[in-house]
Amino acid sequence: MKRLSFLILFVAFSVATVFGQESATQQQLDKLSGQMQDLLEAQAQQSKRIEAIAKEVNELRDKVNAPKTEDNASASDMKALAEKIQEVDRKRQKDNEAISRQIENLGKVVAGAPVKNRTPVVTPKNTDDTATPDVPQKGYYHTVEAGESWGVIAKAYRDKGVKITTSQLIKANPKMNPDLLIVGKKIFIPDPNAK
């Protein structure tokens, strides 16, 4: 019996040791299993973050590589447009200066234009009974040229020494429309000192 008891004791001790080791090993396995699950969860979260970042990168790449539409203008497009506008403005200023010079030249030409067709005449007295304007007997005929007006013609003759006003000039030509001079028509310039 001693042997049997020893054997039972030995088996019990072995079983206890095995169960004790199994129990310790099971605790270690459970701990390792828990750590592995934590690592797997962390890896899954990292994978989700990487996917989100990859998606953002792809969206940005698509935006950068997208073809330009009419609504999008690049900085170089804006710069080119600004240069064209400046060029148009420079041309406008040059044209404006050229027009101003031409107007000045025309003003000088009109102010200092020689009076043409200055032919002395003597007007006959009016014999019909209609009212006659106060027209002197002596004067000149002047052929109207392009760009002339009653005032321009009167000034040109005043510059030549003929004392005449615009209203006297209009009165001396009663058959002419005072609002309209026709190029090529002859008008009478009264001058009592005409020879």
Side-chain angles (χ1 to χ4, degrees):
M1 246 229 201
K2 267 184 173 183
R3 274 183 166 196
L4 193 60
S5 17
F6 180 69
L7 189 59
I8 292 177
L9 190 61
F10 178 71
V11 171
F13 180 71
S14 295
V15 171
T17 305
V18 169
F19 280 117
Q21 284 180 345
E22 274 185 34
S23 160
T25 306
Q26 186 63 39
Q27 286 177 349
Q28 290 174 342
L29 287 175
D30 288 344
K31 184 177 179 183
L32 287 174
S33 176
Q35 289 176 344
M36 281 181 55
Q37 270 195 329
D38 291 343
L39 287 174
L40 288 174
E41 287 177 17
Q43 183 183 11
Q45 289 176 352
Q46 282 291 54
S47 293
K48 287 180 183 178
R49 286 189 203 130
I50 290 172
E51 285 177 23
I53 291 172
K55 184 178 178 183
E56 285 183 42
V57 167
N58 286 334
E59 288 174 357
L60 289 173
R61 186 178 297 132
D62 289 344
K63 284 182 183 178
V64 168
N65 293 331
K68 291 183 181 178
T69 62
E70 292 179 16
D71 296 339
N72 295 343
S74 67
S76 61
D77 292 339
M78 296 301 287
K79 185 177 180 182
L81 180 62
E83 289 172 357
K84 287 179 183 178
I85 290 172
Q86 288 173 347
E87 180 63 27
V88 168
D89 192 48
R90 281 193 293 272
K91 287 180 180 179
R92 182 195 57 80
Q93 287 175 347
K94 285 176 88 175
D95 289 346
N96 192 19
E97 290 169 3
I99 291 169
S100 295
R101 283 193 300 273
Q102 287 294 337
I103 290 173
E104 283 180 30
N105 291 340
L106 287 173
K108 290 176 185 175
V109 167
V110 170
V115 179
K116 296 180 180 178
N117 302 326
R118 202 171 165 183
T119 311
V121 293
V122 175
T123 58
K125 290 188 177 182
N126 195 350
T127 55
D128 62 304
D129 293 337
T130 61
T132 60
D134 186 15
V135 180
Q137 297 283 338
K138 297 180 182 179
Y140 310 97
Y141 279 107
H142 173 81
T143 303
V144 177
E145 294 180 6
E148 288 184 325
S149 66
W150 292 101
V152 168
I153 295 169
K155 182 180 181 324
Y157 277 92
R158 277 195 306 273
D159 291 345
K160 299 295 181 187
V162 177
K163 295 181 180 179
I164 184 88
T165 64
T166 303
S167 60
Q168 289 172 332
L169 187 58
I170 292 171
K171 283 183 184 177
N173 296 280
K175 294 183 180 179
M176 298 287 290
N177 181 350
D179 298 324
L180 177 68
L181 279 178
I182 300 171
V183 175
K185 286 281 192 174
K186 289 189 176 189
I187 61 171
F188 181 71
I189 311 295
D191 181 10
N193 298 325
K195 296 180 183 176

